[in-house]
Amino acid sequence: MSFTVYVPRDAGALSLGAEATAAAIAAEAARRGADVTVVRNGSRGLYWLEPMVEVATDAGRVAYGPVLADDVASLFDADFLHGGRHALGHGPTGEIPYLAKQERLTFARVGIVDPRSLADYRAHGGYRGLDNALKLPPAGIVQAVTDSGLRGRGGAAFPTGIKWKTCHDAEADQKYIVCNADEGDSGTFADRMLMEGDPFVLIEGMTIAGLAVGATQGYIYLRCEYPHARDALNAAIAAAQAEGFLGNDIRGSGKAFHLEVRMAAGAYICGEETSLLESLEGKRGMVRFKPPLPAIEGLFGQPTVINNVVTLASVPIILDQGAAHYRDFGMGRSRGTLPIQLAGNLRHAGLVEKAFGVTLQELLEDFGGGTVTGRPIRTVQVGGPLGAYIPPSRFDTPLDYEAFAAINGMVGHGGIVAFDDSVDMAAMARYAMEFCAIESCGKCTPCRIGSTRGVEVIDRMLAGKDRGKDEALLRDLCQTMLHGSLCALGGMAPFPVLSALDHYPEDFARSA
């Protein structure tokens, strides 16, 4: 009898010993004469259980974790190949509460399929969206994405259909699709998980985007610290080309789309779309003036669609299941689902894909399990290093773009970093300004000079020298940065500073 065992090989699982675990399972199976095939899948996103080993049984997959190499022999002794009971066992994987309470659309295959197998991808519904897209005129594809209510999942939340229509309507001999995979926000890892665990869904989404706007060339601008994602993407691109899902004649349609991975420059500012384009062209990553918009004049001066990984990876299910199916999830103008990344001081850090409308309290307690330290959560930062700090009094805020804007926050890329009551919020405010000063491209004065002055003013406040006057100066400086910066780096760095001042003023007076 043959058995299939799944051991993730995404970067998160590998950092926790998954490679040694996989090798130990193969060696122990050989020693015992068991016919075991080890499939290297992606992580399910339950990182406190990694390396999480799954075995395929007649009743479905059964999970064990965290499994280290030294635990493998005892798993075999417990007959885990048949789902036997073990101290590390968690029962059927799909029934683990953390997973059972999610709505996985974009991440439906992550952790389930072999990310290097095109056949496995297709067996789990892959490329049905592209098949449907090939039957539609380009405007029909754009309309489906528009009707779904999909908004950019990279931070700005701009309606994807409007961006695509702008590029579709632009006249040009050459157009481009660019995927912003330069995932640089603190506490975010959804892009990496998806590219390592289901790279074909991104390739399919970009191909559909190319058909929609008339682009024949695509680039994935990938964070330079993601070598595992690079390898997974390149393997998937090669497989897609070999089977006719990329190239000059996609599935015999006569339509072309080519795709390449380009490694990023290692600068946070290159997550901004125009700076990314500069870098992709081989130039220094500096923000461009807008207009013109990239959808009209983007890469190499040609009409270009730029979306992030999760946005593009959400497109296949829309073309497969229909715009209404996707739109039925969510609330208000925030439609569909969002992969939420729980990080920081939480017992159960990991990825949660939920429809918009779930509250911070539910995410932090029902999924995150509270803090590792057992101390109360004092604040969470949502949306990366430029996101506001949100106090417990606002944890009932639903995850919704407009609801967060109403409390001067932002959803961003869906990263949530939790801090317990030992955090120094004045130090966190200072860090926000320092981060901006370090990462600024230097093109505009409010960001380049304002962030440096911001660090100096906070230092004076903490030294107790005329704190009231310096706080007024800091708030005035923040307003200048908010309204005068060329891009979101300088324009949003004041959010964490102002939220710390508003909600935790006592931390700025500790030296008095």
Side-chain angles (χ1 to χ4, degrees):
M1 185 174 181
S2 60
F3 301 92
T4 303
V5 175
Y6 298 84
V7 184
R9 67 169 167 194
D10 83 305
L14 290 175
S15 71
L16 293 166
E19 197 64 44
T21 298
I25 290 172
E28 190 68 18
R31 190 178 73 81
R32 298 184 183 224
D35 183 6
V36 172
T37 299
V38 178
V39 175
R40 307 305 302 277
N41 58 329
S43 172
R44 297 264 197 160
L46 288 70
Y47 277 111
W48 73 97
L49 295 182
E50 292 292 0
M52 190 173 84
V53 172
E54 296 178 77
V55 59
T57 71
D58 291 340
R61 291 193 193 178
V62 177
Y64 301 83
V67 178
L68 301 179
D70 291 343
D71 301 316
V72 168
S74 67
L75 283 181
F76 277 88
D77 291 340
D79 195 23
F80 90 109
L81 293 177
H82 290 96
R85 296 177 65 119
H86 188 277
L88 298 177
H90 301 279
T93 309
E95 296 178 15
I96 297 174
Y98 192 93
L99 280 176
K101 293 184 291 185
Q102 297 188 34
E103 291 97 35
R104 289 206 163 184
L105 301 182
T106 306
F107 278 68
R109 281 176 293 267
V110 176
I112 294 176
V113 298
D114 177 351
R116 311 282 176 111
S117 170
L118 178 55
D120 206 4
Y121 179 68
R122 297 189 70 188
H124 287 83
Y127 277 118
R128 291 195 308 224
L130 178 62
D131 288 342
N132 289 335
L134 287 168
K135 300 171 187 175
L136 294 172
I141 303 173
V142 173
Q143 191 61 51
V145 173
T146 303
D147 292 344
S148 74
L150 177 65
R151 294 165 71 176
R153 298 294 191 249
F158 189 81
T160 304
I162 294 176
K163 182 181 287 190
W164 285 23
K165 187 177 188 307
T166 303
C167 189
H168 169 274
D169 292 347
E171 296 290 337
D173 293 331
Q174 177 66 59
K175 298 181 183 180
Y176 297 100
I177 306 296
V178 173
C179 174
N180 183 350
D182 193 24
E183 185 175 51
D185 283 349
S186 51
T188 59
F189 45 87
D191 291 357
R192 177 191 59 75
M193 266 188 63
L194 191 137
M195 290 183 289
E196 293 175 357
D198 190 15
F200 286 105
V201 75
L202 174 58
I203 296 169
E204 182 180 1
M206 293 185 71
T207 306
I208 293 170
L211 295 175
V213 304
T216 57
Q217 179 65 51
Y219 295 100
I220 300 172
Y221 186 84
L222 179 65
R223 181 174 175 173
C224 63
E225 295 92 346
Y226 284 179
H228 302 293
R230 176 199 63 207
D231 294 346
L233 286 167
N234 282 332
I237 289 171
Q241 288 174 334
E243 294 297 323
F245 289 98
L246 288 173
N248 290 322
D249 185 20
I250 300 170
R251 306 301 290 167
S253 66
K255 298 178 180 179
F257 189 72
H258 301 268
L259 188 57
E260 297 178 30
V261 176
R262 295 291 175 89
M263 299 307 290
Y268 182 78
I269 192 62
C270 289
E272 192 277 334
E273 61 180 16
T274 63
S275 183
L276 182 158
L277 292 177
E278 290 288 291
S279 177
L280 196 53
E281 292 177 4
K283 305 170 187 174
R284 178 182 175 185
M286 295 187 74
V287 177
R288 294 178 181 176
F289 291 104
K290 290 187 287 189
L293 297 170
I296 298 172
E297 188 176 318
L299 186 64
F300 303 118
Q302 302 302 311
T304 303
V305 164
I306 308 177
N307 287 125
N308 89 318
V309 173
V310 173
T311 310
L312 290 162
S314 299
V315 169
I317 195 171
I318 294 169
L319 271 294
D320 177 18
Q321 299 293 322
H325 172 79
Y326 191 82
R327 189 180 60 240
D328 284 347
F329 292 86
M331 64 176 285
R333 292 178 52 221
S334 302
R335 311 312 306 175
T337 60
L338 178 71
I340 303 146
Q341 299 118 99
L342 300 178
N345 193 341
L346 291 172
R347 290 178 59 226
H348 295 158
L351 182 123
V352 176
E353 185 174 358
K354 289 287 289 182
F356 286 96
V358 63
T359 67
L360 282 174
Q361 188 68 40
E362 292 175 278
L363 290 166
L364 295 169
E365 296 297 334
D366 296 350
F367 288 94
T371 64
V372 174
T373 57
R375 301 170 69 100
I377 296 176
R378 189 182 189 204
T379 192
V380 294
Q381 187 177 33
V382 183
L386 308 180
Y389 289 103
I390 299 175
S393 62
R394 293 181 172 175
F395 284 0
D396 61 347
T397 304
L399 206 66
D400 166 81
Y401 293 118
E402 281 65 44
F404 264 69
I407 62 169
N408 296 317
M410 69 166 185
V411 173
H413 188 42
I416 299 176
V417 182
F419 302 84
D420 71 14
D421 61 358
S422 65
V423 67
D424 181 344
M425 295 306 298
M428 300 307 294
R430 185 187 188 281
Y431 172 76
M433 282 294 189
E434 184 181 33
F435 178 85
C436 182
I438 293 170
E439 296 293 345
S440 174
C441 76
K443 189 164 187 174
C444 71
T445 301
C447 177
R448 182 183 71 249
I449 302 299
S451 53
T452 300
R453 295 291 88 86
V455 173
E456 295 170 354
V457 175
I458 293 173
D459 283 344
R460 287 204 303 269
M461 290 178 65
L462 298 181
K465 299 177 181 178
D466 204 350
R467 183 174 292 110
K469 179 181 177 181
D470 281 327
E471 180 177 342
L473 178 61
L474 181 60
R475 289 182 179 276
D476 184 62
L477 174 64
C478 284
Q479 292 304 314
T480 300
M481 294 177 67
L482 281 168
H483 299 293
S485 296
L486 188 57
C487 81
L489 178 56
M492 295 178 68
F495 284 4
V497 178
L498 292 172
S499 60
L501 279 170
D502 291 341
H503 300 301
Y504 310 96
E506 63 275 16
D507 285 23
F508 293 83
R510 286 178 177 172
S511 60

